[in-house]
Amino acid sequence: LSFSCPYLWEITENSDGTGLSIYSRYEDDNPWDMAILYIDTYSLDEVSDLAALKSSMETEGYEVAEATIGGLPALDTSTVFQDDEGTLYYQRYVFIQEGSCYVNFSFITFEDYAEESDVLFQSGIDSIEC
């Protein structure tokens, strides 16, 4: 699996070694610097099939669309949620099924930057090749 990201971000491996955190090294007030991307993998043992995952995400209030990404079946989900301090965030998950595992791209930013940041995220998703 490969993809490109149209901006320079820092990449660190998660502490358990199952994924990556991708974030800007800068803290400027713009859509790119105020977003973070997580990439994780899950086996089918951890998460059921795409249909069950779709149903679960819809139950939790996510907007869910079936998709094909890089020639593979996928779900594209999004929501806006509020933290304990009242800050609104936009979160988008893209689950791509590759054989017996899922690759999950989880993108989060402040809700104020959702529209502009989503263009950045979508360009990365559109570049995925398997």
Side-chain angles (χ1 to χ4, degrees):
L1 177 99
S2 66
F3 73 98
S4 64
C5 186
Y7 191 70
L8 184 60
W9 293 30
E10 295 290 321
I11 302 171
T12 61
E13 188 172 335
N14 295 349
S15 60
D16 61 6
T18 62
L20 303 171
S21 296
I22 303 170
Y23 56 92
S24 173
R25 64 180 72 165
Y26 308 106
E27 295 184 14
D28 294 324
D29 191 15
N30 65 60
W32 295 269
D33 294 332
M34 301 303 283
I36 191 164
L37 171 65
Y38 300 101
I39 302 173
D40 296 289
T41 59
Y42 303 95
S43 70
L44 285 176
D45 296 342
E46 297 173 69
V47 180
S48 56
D49 63 16
L50 282 178
L53 184 56
K54 178 182 179 189
S55 177
S56 174
M57 298 293 285
E58 288 172 333
T59 299
E60 292 180 32
Y62 286 82
E63 291 183 31
V64 181
E66 294 180 21
T68 301
I69 297 175
L72 298 172
L75 291 179
D76 190 343
T77 72
S78 63
T79 192
V80 173
F81 69 92
Q82 188 172 16
D83 70 7
D84 293 339
E85 287 85 40
T87 304
L88 292 173
Y89 294 94
Y90 169 76
Q91 185 157 27
R92 184 167 167 202
Y93 289 105
V94 173
F95 296 92
I96 303 170
Q97 184 176 352
E98 168 75 46
S100 63
C101 77
Y102 291 101
V103 178
N104 175 31
F105 290 80
S106 175
F107 178 77
I108 188 168
T109 190
F110 292 98
E111 197 268 337
D112 291 346
Y113 296 107
E115 188 174 326
E116 293 171 275
S117 296
D118 206 39
V119 173
L120 168 73
F121 184 63
Q122 187 62 48
S123 68
I125 295 301
D126 290 343
S127 74
I128 292 174
E129 295 182 16
C130 303

